[in-house]
Amino acid sequence: MALEHTSVVNRSPSQTHDPADRLRRLQAVTDVALAHLSLEELLDELLLRVRDALDADTAAVLLIEETGRELVARAAKGIEEEVERGVRIPVGQGFAGRIAASRRPVVLDNVDYADVLNPILREKGIKSLAGVPLFTHDDVLGVLHVGTLTPREFSPADVELLEIVAQRVAVAIERSIAHEQLVRLTLLQRDFIALAAHELRTPAATVYGLAATLARRELPEATAKEVLETLYGQAERMRRLVEQLLDMSRLDAASIEVSPEVIRLAPELEEIVRTTAPGREQEIEIHTPGTDKVMADRAVLERVVGNLVTNAVRYGAPPVRVIAKQTDTHLRIAVSDSGEGIDPQFVPHLFDRFRRAAPARQRNTGAGLGLAIARAYARAHGGDLLYHPPASGGATFELVLPRTTPPAE
């Protein structure tokens, strides 16, 4: 077994376990009862068991995103901030990145002096770490790592146990993802039928009725103008819905081509605001400190930022702020408003398809596809779309895109 290891610090507590006890711990991690859990529930339960089996204080799973360039924190115990902050680690860099790139275990007996990229590991006071890759069909799916708050030597037996556990965890994750995809497709078919029956039928019937009225009746000029405006509004609603459905079908089929190019960010954001919030530009503040040119796909920026600005204006309150920052590794664009915020009970469903919060249902606006499409575009670009619960009022969403080659200033 190839293993990267630093100096010995302390005796591993798990070395005191006899083989029968270690076998019991392994079986506990991979109990057949876990098979019926959703992916989130599965990871939550697995990490609790992994942490117990290795006598560790923390455990985390990071999965490689679609482009294969970054690891994204998917679940964590003891360091939940990894998931809450949307931690992303470039493959090949830092502790987890080295594991994914080298495809072998890495043990750090002393985190204080190690090359650890993730600041949360230091903030939590983690002293020692052990991590292994997650393999599916010889491909690296992600990384599983455990840590302790006191100096600890992870013995070869500990690492071997972690590798065996990782094999089972990877299989469980793969099966869970496949099952969730099947369930998701089934639900999508059902939801699409319901959507077509409700969302499309209503405006279609209205458009037909209004068009028939205009074609067959002589109306006073003021009445005819009002009918035309209503007709336009309903036709626009149908157009947006059909466009969203086409977007979603292309994203599901992975037929969206992302082509990053050098863009002057401030003018691009100003144009997106003018297009998505005409007449309300004065309510929206744009700040791009230290960010002039960026590498990004224009369509992705328009789809994601445009959706966020539309939602902030429609459901929030001014001022709406669009703040862009660029680091050596990421471009981050946050859109926040000063409204009442999002009901905490609805937050887990923010990015679900065909799910609408109470304000949207009351106003009968949208079909519950906007944020799902926006996140899908962000991930197609190798990034993500995150929601950050505010300390006070309002709502904040953040588009995170990996920075490729730094554009010349």
Side-chain angles (χ1 to χ4, degrees), residues 330-389:
H330 293 94
L331 167 65
R332 294 177 175 267
I333 303 176
V335 178
S336 60
D337 66 75
S338 306
E340 296 180 358
I342 297 170
D343 183 350
Q345 293 185 346
F346 186 73
V347 169
H349 307 293
L350 270 173
F351 299 100
D352 292 350
R353 301 179 184 187
F354 308 112
R355 295 295 292 266
R356 295 186 296 175
R361 292 197 305 271
Q362 291 167 3
R363 300 181 192 183
N364 197 27
T365 55
L369 286 172
L371 284 175
I373 291 174
R375 170 172 272 186
Y377 265 103
R379 290 181 172 176
H381 203 306
D384 208 346
L385 179 60
L386 309 172
Y387 169 71
H388 299 296

Side-chain angles (χ1 to χ4, degrees), residues 276-406:
T276 57
R280 303 187 66 175
E281 296 93 330
Q282 71 281 358
E283 301 176 7
I284 302 170
E285 303 172 4
I286 299 176
H287 304 281
T288 58
T291 300
D292 182 15
K293 298 177 182 177
V294 301
M295 285 289 293
D297 183 279
R298 291 180 186 275
V300 171
L301 285 182
E302 189 278 326
R303 291 292 201 285
V304 180
V305 178
N307 177 270
L308 298 180
V309 169
T310 298
N311 287 349
V313 170
R314 181 179 294 168
Y315 305 116
V320 173
R321 295 181 176 87
V322 181
I323 301 176
K325 296 179 181 179
Q326 188 165 220
T327 66
D328 290 339
T329 56
H330 293 94
L331 167 65
R332 294 177 175 267
I333 303 176
V335 178
S336 60
D337 66 75
S338 306
E340 296 180 358
I342 297 170
D343 183 350
Q345 293 185 346
F346 186 73
V347 169
H349 307 293
L350 270 173
F351 299 100
D352 292 350
R353 301 179 184 187
F354 308 112
R355 295 295 292 266
R356 295 186 296 175
R361 292 197 305 271
Q362 291 167 3
R363 300 181 192 183
N364 197 27
T365 55
L369 286 172
L371 284 175
I373 291 174
R375 170 172 272 186
Y377 265 103
R379 290 181 172 176
H381 203 306
D384 208 346
L385 179 60
L386 309 172
Y387 169 71
H388 299 296
S392 55
T396 299
F397 290 85
E398 185 178 43
L399 169 63
V400 182
L401 297 180
R403 182 169 178 175
T404 50
T405 55

Side-chain angles (χ1 to χ4, degrees), residues 120-159:
I120 295 175
L121 298 179
R122 294 179 184 272
E123 292 172 12
K124 299 293 286 189
I126 295 175
K127 302 301 183 185
S128 302
L129 286 166
V132 296
L134 296 169
F135 287 109
T136 57
H137 308 295
D138 203 38
D139 293 325
V140 177
L141 175 69
V143 169
L144 168 67
H145 68 69
V146 296
T148 60
L149 298 176
T150 56
R152 156 89 173 269
E153 172 198 353
F154 286 98
S155 69
D158 291 329
V159 176

Side-chain angles (χ1 to χ4, degrees), residues 8-328:
V8 172
V9 177
N10 217 332
R11 180 178 175 81
S12 168
S14 64
Q15 284 181 321
T16 62
H17 299 150
D18 59 37
D21 184 48
R22 295 176 70 82
L23 179 60
R24 177 188 61 79
R25 288 168 175 252
L26 174 60
Q27 290 172 336
V29 172
T30 57
D31 195 321
V32 70
L34 299 177
H36 303 293
L37 298 178
S38 69
L39 181 59
E40 298 303 325
E41 294 170 331
L42 174 70
L43 291 177
D44 186 70
E45 184 63 31
L46 282 174
L47 289 185
L48 286 173
R49 298 184 183 199
V50 168
R51 189 171 61 174
D52 177 68
L54 271 296
D55 292 318
D57 299 302
T58 68
V61 166
L62 296 89
L63 299 181
I64 293 182
E65 46 81 42
E66 293 178 1
T67 66
R69 294 195 295 262
E70 290 185 312
L71 288 159
V72 181
R74 186 65 185 267
K77 289 297 173 186
I79 46 173
E80 286 78 5
E81 293 88 342
E82 273 207 321
V83 179
E84 294 169 0
R85 298 187 197 176
V87 167
R88 305 175 73 87
I89 305 296
V91 172
Q93 299 182 32
F95 171 68
R98 292 207 312 275
I99 296 171
S102 66
R103 301 166 63 89
R104 61 191 179 94
V106 174
V107 172
L108 302 179
D109 290 332
N110 196 328
V111 171
D112 288 340
Y113 301 99
D115 177 22
V116 174
L117 193 63
N118 183 359
I120 295 175
L121 298 179
R122 294 179 184 272
E123 292 172 12
K124 299 293 286 189
I126 295 175
K127 302 301 183 185
S128 302
L129 286 166
V132 296
L134 296 169
F135 287 109
T136 57
H137 308 295
D138 203 38
D139 293 325
V140 177
L141 175 69
V143 169
L144 168 67
H145 68 69
V146 296
T148 60
L149 298 176
T150 56
R152 156 89 173 269
E153 172 198 353
F154 286 98
S155 69
D158 291 329
V159 176
E160 183 179 7
L161 176 62
L162 191 58
E163 285 187 298
I164 295 173
V165 168
Q167 293 172 7
R168 311 292 178 86
V169 170
V171 171
I173 291 174
E174 184 181 37
R175 288 177 178 172
S176 182
I177 290 175
H179 175 70
E180 287 201 347
Q181 288 176 339
L182 179 61
V183 172
R184 182 176 63 85
L185 290 174
T186 302
L187 291 175
L188 281 177
Q189 290 177 340
R190 185 197 67 187
D191 290 338
F192 179 81
I193 294 171
L195 179 73
H198 182 268
E199 297 291 344
L200 283 175
R201 183 176 60 184
T202 300
T206 304
V207 167
Y208 176 80
L210 293 172
T213 299
L214 288 173
R216 297 174 182 176
R217 293 178 57 184
E218 291 291 337
L219 300 175
E221 184 177 348
T223 303
K225 182 178 179 181
E226 182 178 348
V227 170
L228 279 171
E229 289 177 353
T230 305
L231 178 62
Y232 174 79
Q234 292 296 321
E236 175 64 14
R237 178 182 171 188
M238 288 183 63
R239 184 197 65 79
R240 286 197 306 268
L241 179 56
V242 170
E243 188 175 277
Q244 287 182 331
L245 291 172
L246 288 173
D247 262 349
M248 192 59 74
S249 66
R250 287 194 293 264
L251 287 162
D252 284 341
S255 61
I256 294 290
E257 293 186 5
V258 175
S259 303
E261 58 182 300
V262 178
I263 296 173
R264 298 189 73 88
L265 186 60
E268 191 73 20
L269 294 178
E270 291 168 1
E271 178 60 26
I272 291 172
V273 167
R274 279 194 296 269
T275 303
T276 57
R280 303 187 66 175
E281 296 93 330
Q282 71 281 358
E283 301 176 7
I284 302 170
E285 303 172 4
I286 299 176
H287 304 281
T288 58
T291 300
D292 182 15
K293 298 177 182 177
V294 301
M295 285 289 293
D297 183 279
R298 291 180 186 275
V300 171
L301 285 182
E302 189 278 326
R303 291 292 201 285
V304 180
V305 178
N307 177 270
L308 298 180
V309 169
T310 298
N311 287 349
V313 170
R314 181 179 294 168
Y315 305 116
V320 173
R321 295 181 176 87
V322 181
I323 301 176
K325 296 179 181 179
Q326 188 165 220
T327 66
D328 290 339

